[in-house]
Amino acid sequence: MRDILIGIDAGTSVIKSVAFDLGGRELAIAAVPNSYEAVGRTGSVQDLRRTWADTVKTLVELSAGIENLPGRVAAIAVTGQGDGTWMIDSDGEPVGKGWLWLDARAGETVERLRGDSGDVERFSRTGSGLAACQQGPQLRWMVDNAPEMLRGATTAFHCKDWLYFNLTGQRATDPSEANFTFGDFRTRQYCDEVISFLGLDTLKHLLPDIVDGAASHHALSQTAASATGLPAGTPVVLGYVDVVCTALGAGLYDPGTDAGCSIIGSTGMHMRLATSAEDVRLNRDLTGYTMCMPIPNTYTQMQSNMAATLNIDWILSIAGGVLKGMGVEKSKGELLAHVDGWLQEAKGTPLLFEPYISEAGERGPFVDASARASFVGLSSTHGFGDMVRAVFDGLALAARDCYAEMGPLPECIRLTGGAARSASLRRILGGALGASIQTSERDEAGAAGVAMIAAVSLGIYPSMADCVGDWVRPHQRLAEPADAELVRRYDALFPAYQQSRLALRPVWHALSHAAGTGDQQERPK
């Protein structure tokens, strides 16, 4: 009996294959650490052949853990890290290594394009702001700076597209990545005007066909079958980009519920569901993403702040450094155990923290590479507990800042990511957003989301709404209502939070300029 769906999620940190039964129950998981490397100061690349080999390894290990998996697999579905540029030649061989979303070499290209008046029209089509992580600016950088990198290339993929090619032999990409990079979200097709604005008319031939995995699939090739041990002809579904699949598995799409979805990890991703093209709300700063969902006329809008739990890691490292200087060694886990105590020590005196701790600055809801973190309002009455509380507050207010750019705050936030395990963070986030917080018992939301696309593609469920009833709702924990006192606190703090980041922008730029001047002065030495 073909009663198992396999969801592959090739993330930045881990590549995993997860087996589910047809009703959405997780059966087994196999995972290997991902591997990528730095190129110079700002480049980040990944070996295509190794990525495929690592994916094969997870599928082989999954088979070893499930009795008769080859005889039971109904379909394989694949998603993976978004953005980036992974190219192959006419024979299907890699052309160089894959550029990741972490690669920032196209930063100056993005600044130049964002300064062009034509970017307003491009944004109106894609609904997505330009960023150095995207394939469009990365290809433009190659054209302008290293055209030899393009020699022999016939197709430009993203990570999951490369894996799909190895599984099926088909050169394709999905509607979400195709449209927020090169298309029009209303038509779900490539847009010539967008491609021309990016200066990539001569590279249009690199863009693969757009394949909607929710409506179609291809067969596992004989070559891939030999490598994985799974039967040739098994349906293979090209999923949407990983953040869409994670949102789907976490419950962003749940008809009849006013839900948003936040993924709180090293970075923060905040998503709002738009139930029509007309419901998409484009902002004046030309930031964020608009991504097609695997549901007709449905979209997720996303704002992503660069640093979320990175801010917590920083404040803990300060505590750890002070203790180490006194001869006391504490692990990150031991320091985390003290967080609730520090939060309880915090006084009610207002203290703001702008959580832009990443050296890459900020990307949502505004773009500024020079943005830096700061405390605002410190006095002699504040102690370390107040600073820890301000860091948690800042993380939550940054999430509100992102949601505020996308329209009214949702009534419920479906929360996932490593930080979702923190009761303190859930309580603070709920207060800052004025929303109930709901987490899932499911750890592998991305793999579940892509498997859900397969379940609809194969007709196991007549619609995604029907699939959600079995795959999402039973796994949701009870919603935690917002604390009314905290809601009042953050409603009062939020205007000051926004005012301070606007006021500090010239200071960030001045500091960035001073740092650059200092570098130049030191070089002759």
Side-chain angles (χ1 to χ4, degrees):
M1 178 182 176
R2 301 287 179 182
D3 61 348
I4 291 177
L5 297 172
I6 298 174
I8 299 171
D9 186 356
T12 312
S13 302
V14 179
I15 297 173
K16 63 193 75 169
S17 291
V18 186
F20 301 91
D21 68 20
L22 300 186
R25 184 170 63 93
E26 184 179 318
L27 304 175
I29 179 172
V32 298
N34 189 35
S35 177
Y36 57 90
E37 62 193 85
V39 176
R41 188 174 61 87
T42 58
S44 187
V45 299
Q46 189 165 321
D47 185 86
L48 277 74
R49 291 188 183 90
R50 176 168 180 169
T51 305
W52 168 238
D54 286 344
T55 303
V56 168
K57 183 179 180 182
T58 65
L59 291 169
V60 171
E61 289 183 2
L62 198 65
S63 286
I66 296 180
E67 184 178 356
N68 189 29
L69 180 61
R72 297 174 64 189
V73 61
I76 304 163
V78 58
T79 186
Q81 54 173 293
D83 289 315
T85 305
W86 302 48
M87 296 185 291
I88 62 171
D89 63 17
S90 58
D91 296 323
E93 293 298 318
V95 175
K97 294 185 177 181
W99 285 35
L100 301 193
W101 65 273
L102 294 166
D103 199 296
R105 279 176 280 186
E108 290 186 2
T109 301
V110 168
E111 287 186 24
R112 187 172 67 252
L113 290 169
R114 280 179 58 86
D116 189 311
S117 61
D119 191 41
V120 175
E121 176 63 20
R122 184 210 57 79
F123 182 73
S124 74
R125 303 276 188 154
T126 63
S128 301
L130 281 176
C133 57
Q134 294 168 359
Q135 189 175 104
Q138 290 180 355
L139 287 173
R140 176 62 184 271
W141 186 94
M142 294 179 198
V143 169
D144 293 341
N145 299 282
E148 68 278 3
M149 288 185 173
L150 297 161
R151 194 169 299 130
T154 57
T155 309
F157 285 145
H158 306 284
C159 176
K160 66 175 172 14
D161 308 333
W162 159 247
L163 295 179
Y164 191 71
F165 172 74
N166 280 276
L167 290 164
T168 66
Q170 299 292 322
R171 298 179 187 235
T173 193
D174 80 289
S176 62
E177 297 236 57
N179 284 277
F180 74 65
T181 309
F182 296 116
D184 188 322
F185 68 87
R186 299 166 187 82
T187 64
R188 300 196 176 207
Q189 299 297 322
Y190 291 125
C191 178
D192 288 340
E193 289 79 6
V194 170
I195 295 167
S196 292
F197 172 76
L198 295 170
L200 299 175
D201 286 318
T202 60
L203 297 184
K204 284 170 66 174
H205 65 282
L206 295 181
L207 306 184
D209 291 342
I210 300 173
V211 170
D212 187 349
S216 63
H217 47 268
H218 293 98
L220 187 70
S221 70
Q222 186 60 61
T223 302
S226 298
T228 62
L230 300 174
T234 300
V236 182
V237 172
L238 178 59
Y240 284 47
V241 67
D242 60 351
V243 289
V244 169
C245 291
T246 298
L248 194 61
L252 175 64
Y253 176 73
D254 191 350
T257 302
D258 180 18
C261 179
S262 285
I263 307 170
I264 306 292
S266 297
T267 64
M269 295 186 179
H270 312 285
M271 289 170 274
R272 160 189 185 266
L273 193 73
T275 54
S276 69
E278 293 72 29
D279 189 30
V280 170
R281 301 176 188 229
L282 303 180
N283 62 71
R284 292 172 295 177
D285 288 335
L286 313 186
T287 62
Y289 285 78
T290 299
M291 301 184 184
C292 302
M293 292 283 281
I295 304 141
N297 205 31
T298 303
Y299 308 85
T300 177
Q301 287 194 263
M302 185 181 82
Q303 286 282 351
S304 178
N305 56 299
M306 193 72 76
T309 59
L310 288 178
N311 294 281
I312 298 172
D313 294 342
W314 169 77
I315 195 71
L316 292 180
S317 74
I318 297 298
V322 171
L323 291 171
K324 186 175 182 180
M326 300 171 66
V328 179
E329 294 274 357
K330 292 288 184 180
S331 68
K332 180 180 176 182
E334 289 173 317
L335 291 168
L336 279 169
H338 285 275
V339 164
D340 283 341
W342 284 321
L343 291 174
Q344 289 172 9
E345 291 173 8
K347 308 172 188 68
T349 311
L351 176 63
L352 290 174
F353 177 74
E354 302 287 349
Y356 314 130
I357 206 70
S358 170
E359 292 186 7
E362 189 51 282
R363 63 186 177 189
F366 64 95
V367 175
D368 195 329
S370 65
R372 291 295 179 267
S374 57
F375 287 100
V376 179
L378 273 172
S379 75
S380 61
T381 64
H382 289 121
F384 188 70
D386 298 292
M387 297 173 73
V388 172
R389 176 59 184 265
V391 168
F392 273 72
D393 286 351
L395 195 159
L397 290 168
R400 177 164 175 167
D401 209 11
C402 285
Y403 275 110
E405 283 296 318
M406 297 186 289
L409 296 175
E411 292 179 359
C412 176
I413 299 295
R414 301 279 168 81
L415 186 65
T416 184
R421 293 188 290 270
S422 168
S424 296
L425 181 61
R426 295 196 303 271
R427 183 168 175 268
I428 289 170
L429 190 64
L433 297 175
S436 61
I437 301 295
Q438 191 167 26
T439 59
S440 175
E441 297 168 353
R442 210 188 263 298
D443 291 326
E444 303 300 335
V450 77
M452 290 168 67
I453 297 175
V456 173
S457 184
L458 269 64
I460 296 169
Y461 289 91
S463 70
M464 191 60 72
D466 293 293
C467 188
V468 164
D470 287 344
W471 281 67
V472 175
R473 289 178 194 147
H475 301 278
Q476 296 288 348
R477 297 186 176 95
L478 289 175
E480 302 170 57
D483 182 304
E485 183 179 341
L486 285 181
V487 171
R488 287 191 292 272
R489 168 185 167 83
Y490 293 116
D491 280 349
L493 278 179
F494 184 60
Y497 172 88
Q498 287 191 311
Q499 289 164 11
S500 63
R501 74 158 169 86
L502 291 170
L504 284 168
R505 202 159 190 174
V507 179
W508 300 333
H509 292 187
L511 289 173
S512 178
H513 177 72
T517 302
D519 289 343
Q520 291 170 3
Q521 290 174 345
E522 291 178 10
R523 283 175 195 152
K525 298 178 183 178

